[in-house]
Amino acid sequence: MAKKQKYYVVWVGIEPGVYDNWEDASEQVLTYPGARYKSFPTRTEAIRAFRGEDATEARTLLNLFERPARVINYEAFPEIDTKAIAVDAACSGNPGMMEYRGVEVGTGRELFHKGPFPDGTNNIGEYLALIHALALCEQQEDTSRVIYTDSMTALAWLRNRKSNTKIAPTEANAQLLDILQRADRWAATHTPRNPIRKWDTPNWGEIPADFGRK
């Protein structure tokens, strides 16, 4: 079956507009803090949405990628390290389409983003995000930088130096499981040097890297 054409609207990004392929659209949004974008099944609906016209019949196919800005009153919580990296993941289904990212706490600036990966889980994403942040800091020789995660599972897997997922291998998630194996090899051969802290969600609200899908 031929893949259906999609049209992508970028309202907030490097260059707002209507794009007829995800490759071009993604360049406008994936590194842009607070990017706002969606996909539509027809060019007409996309153009109407971009212009702010009525498009109530439009289907949102990429709400998976919406990233509302996180609003945190850091003055009220001086214990939060605003120079830290916060990591998180989101998964549509279990398993389902999964992505993860890391952002700078104080600015919300996205430092890395990976995915979406099919047939993934939230636990895998949160673990990969934590390993990614640790490896990035080691590469940049920035081992004093704090890393925040809200995932007890990711912390446990890191502590055990190995993931513990029960996800079944599929043709769709072969790439993801390969990345997971590489993350496990990193965890098994490296001792994390960065301070890793649990994000205090009940008191501080959602972690800055949250995808806003709750």
Side-chain angles (χ1 to χ4, degrees):
M1 182 180 295
K3 189 175 181 180
K4 292 183 178 180
Q5 174 72 52
K6 299 177 185 178
Y7 298 89
Y8 305 88
V9 175
V10 176
W11 288 282
V12 179
I14 296 174
E15 187 173 343
V18 176
Y19 295 83
D20 62 6
N21 65 85
W22 172 239
E23 182 178 358
D24 289 341
S26 65
E27 292 180 358
Q28 316 306 318
V29 298
L30 292 184
T31 61
Y32 194 95
R36 301 293 294 175
Y37 54 105
K38 293 181 181 179
S39 73
F40 297 89
T42 69
R43 180 182 293 276
T44 298
E45 287 177 335
I47 292 174
R48 291 172 65 194
F50 180 67
R51 291 174 176 173
E53 299 174 5
D54 182 23
T56 56
E57 298 300 320
R59 287 188 299 125
T60 301
L61 301 180
L62 281 182
N63 57 8
L64 175 66
F65 300 100
E66 292 183 12
R67 297 179 175 87
R70 314 311 301 167
V71 179
I72 299 172
N73 181 5
Y74 292 113
E75 291 185 1
F77 303 105
E79 66 272 27
I80 297 177
D81 188 336
T82 58
K83 296 181 180 180
I85 298 174
V87 299
D88 201 14
C91 190
S92 178
N94 186 34
M97 295 296 288
M98 181 276 291
E99 62 177 330
Y100 69 84
R101 66 173 179 161
V103 305
E104 189 174 63
V105 169
T107 65
R109 180 170 63 95
E110 195 169 63
L111 302 177
F112 60 84
H113 167 268
K114 295 295 180 181
F117 301 100
D119 288 355
T121 68
N122 201 61
N123 284 340
I124 290 175
E126 291 179 328
Y127 173 68
L128 290 178
L130 183 56
I131 295 294
H132 192 129
L134 287 166
L136 178 65
C137 288
E138 181 180 81
Q139 181 183 28
Q140 297 178 344
E141 298 183 351
D142 189 10
T143 55
S144 63
R145 196 172 198 181
V146 170
I147 299 173
Y148 285 112
T149 177
D150 62 3
S151 173
M152 294 299 294
T153 298
L155 290 170
W157 288 3
L158 177 63
R159 189 164 53 247
N160 293 331
R161 294 176 176 254
K162 184 176 177 57
S163 58
N164 186 29
T165 180
K166 305 300 182 185
I167 191 171
T170 66
E171 182 178 350
N173 67 20
Q175 178 190 15
L176 175 61
L177 295 184
D178 179 67
I179 295 171
L180 183 61
Q181 290 179 354
R182 282 188 276 148
D184 280 344
R185 287 196 293 271
W186 191 96
T189 56
H190 293 74
T191 299
R193 298 169 60 190
N194 291 77
I196 303 171
R197 298 177 186 170
K198 177 71 166 58
W199 183 262
D200 188 357
T201 303
N203 290 316
W204 301 341
E206 295 296 341
I207 194 167
D210 178 66
F211 286 85
R213 300 177 201 158
K214 296 179 177 64

